Amino acid sequence: MPSMDTGKPRARRGFAAMNPERRREIARKGGASVPGEKRSFAKDRDLAASAGRKGGEASRGGGRTRGTREG
């Protein structure tokens, strides 16, 4: 298998390229752009659970548990 290391330094992009002050400014905002009334999962635990279950099934990961192997 070929190595991912080509010897060249990788270009810094996204958050890595920003100065720490700018990163803190963005992180401080968190989810503030979404109004509270739009955060339905925060209010409705059952809705969040059903969405998570649905996503797990769609990702073909539903039903499997750790430590078991299919042979």
Side-chain angles (χ1 to χ4, degrees):
M1 189 166 174
S3 172
M4 295 288 288
D5 188 13
T6 59
K8 289 194 260 180
R10 293 185 63 172
R12 291 172 53 150
R13 302 184 331 199
F15 280 102
M18 290 181 197
N19 67 26
E21 201 173 295
R22 177 75 173 127
R23 275 185 265 170
R24 267 192 243 70
E25 181 185 326
I26 292 171
R28 207 176 300 122
K29 292 178 182 177
S33 63
V34 180
E37 63 271 6
K38 299 271 185 177
R39 296 183 193 175
S40 56
F41 288 160
K43 295 178 185 175
D44 190 346
R45 190 180 177 110
D46 292 332
L47 180 63
S50 91
R53 197 173 304 107
K54 192 174 182 181
E57 290 168 0
S59 70
R60 301 181 188 179
R64 284 194 241 165
T65 58
R66 287 183 174 217
T68 60
R69 279 191 164 165
E70 293 183 29

